[in-house]
Amino acid sequence: YIKGYRAVLDRDKLGFSLVNVISVTLATHNRDNARRFGELVARLPQVQEAHALTGEMDYILKVVTPDLKSLSEFVNSVLLPHESVQHVKTAIVLETLKETGALPI
């Protein structure tokens, strides 16, 4: 049941104080495009979480960046130019009320 152990690093002290939630819509909906997007996300260290969704958007990402300029570069130089991506919408987290990896057992 235990998948591993890890240190919990302090984002702020390491210079990643900006937490961003980014929704992504794919250009086309097929297996190859989803695979290409998955490969992109897998190699991006600033993406802490990535979830495929039902509904209006295809994916939601939790991304950490040092500042707004880095967020802008990430969106405009990494996500938007990628062949699999059609639309990106960003939201900056103002305050984290709860963050845990614990399960309700």
Side-chain angles (χ1 to χ4, degrees):
Y1 295 147
I2 297 172
K3 292 175 84 173
Y5 294 94
R6 65 183 175 99
V8 179
L9 303 176
D10 188 315
R11 269 193 313 266
D12 292 326
K13 289 181 180 174
L14 291 168
F16 293 95
S17 56
L18 208 59
V19 179
N20 314 281
V21 178
I22 302 176
S23 62
V24 177
T25 304
L26 296 183
T28 58
H29 294 89
N30 61 54
R31 203 171 283 148
D32 287 338
N33 210 33
R35 178 189 50 76
R36 283 192 296 272
F37 183 73
E39 289 170 354
L40 170 68
V41 167
R43 66 177 183 262
L44 298 171
Q46 57 272 67
V47 177
Q48 293 195 315
E49 295 180 30
H51 305 278
L53 305 175
T54 62
E56 192 175 319
M57 62 190 105
D58 297 313
Y59 294 92
I60 193 153
L61 311 176
K62 177 183 171 186
V63 176
V64 294
T65 58
D67 50 37
L68 286 172
K69 182 179 179 188
S70 300
L71 172 60
S72 178
E73 289 172 4
F74 179 77
V75 170
N76 293 314
S77 300
V78 178
L79 289 182
L80 284 174
H82 195 268
E83 61 187 4
S84 66
V85 175
Q86 176 184 343
H87 182 73
V88 172
K89 191 179 214 179
T90 63
I92 297 170
V93 174
L94 296 176
E95 179 182 7
T96 299
L97 303 177
K98 181 177 181 179
E99 186 173 55
T100 181
L103 294 175
I105 55 173

